[in-house]
Amino acid sequence: GDSVTQMEGPVTLSEEAFLTINCTYTATGYPSLFWYVQYPGEGLQLLLKATKADDKGSNKGFEATYRKETTSFHLEKGSVQVSDSAVYFCALSANYKLTFGKGTLLTVNP
Amino acid sequence: KAGVTQTPRYLIKTRGQQVTLSCSPISGHRSVSWYQQTPGQGLQFLFEYFSETQRNKGNFPGRFSGRQFSNSRSEMNVSTLELGDSALYLCASSTGQDQETQYFGPGTRLLVL
């Protein structure tokens, strides 16, 4: 079946540092790929998405590129802020359901 | 436009009881999905409904059931609660096309004692 593997962390960075969270997937078809973010005590918020190979999703300074050849969708941000501290989930969508990675806890210190 | 709403936000039940959780999707959305989030298992798909029909179901025992009404609102029911059912239950809505973005509610936190 479909699966998503992402680095679990936790990841601790200083403000303005560069962020990468790795995500790879296994799927039988051609899924759409997502990054969601979860702040404490809240549900999931869509961060960005990509629907086909070589698409780049971007939002709030975060970027991820759909790489079919390496089955990857790594999340990057050039300069993180304290307000980016949260749990980040990589997910793929197929057959009307989302399959999630385990989540990566990011803490950004001032 | 109002987001996905879930009620109640918090619940405490005892083993053996049953519970019903409710979800109202974003206006115009006809698909509702349910997910269970636990520290050990992470986010797991329960089921998805579109126009009152279940189109997909996750790998959960039959104690977990759901339904969708003609106004797209959805409920999920868990019977004979077990301690391991303690979790955050998240509802998400979408337009209903496959692979479309799903928008999540704040969740219902269930504690089973």
Side-chain angles (χ1 to χ4, degrees), chain B residues 42-95:
Chain B
L43 281 154
Q44 294 186 285
F45 171 75
L46 282 155
F47 25 67
E48 187 264 359
Y49 288 88
F50 178 80
S51 292
E52 302 178 67
T53 299
Q54 186 183 88
R55 292 193 295 191
N56 201 349
K57 184 179 188 304
N59 189 26
F60 277 82
R63 300 184 298 108
F64 292 81
S65 63
R67 61 178 175 168
Q68 187 180 34
F69 302 95
S70 58
N71 62 358
S72 296
R73 193 176 67 84
S74 176
E75 290 181 346
M76 68 163 282
N77 183 274
V78 187
S79 62
T80 319
L81 284 166
E82 301 177 359
L83 296 178
D85 296 334
S86 294
L88 181 66
Y89 290 89
L90 292 164
C91 167
S93 76
S94 75
T95 59

Side-chain angles (χ1 to χ4, degrees), chain A residues 32 36 38 95-96 98, chain B residues 35 37 56 98-99 101-102:
Chain A
S32 291
Y36 282 89
Q38 186 174 36
N95 298 318
Y96 309 111
L98 286 164
Chain B
Y35 296 84
Q37 185 177 23
N56 201 349
D98 193 17
Q99 301 190 18
T101 300
Q102 294 186 24

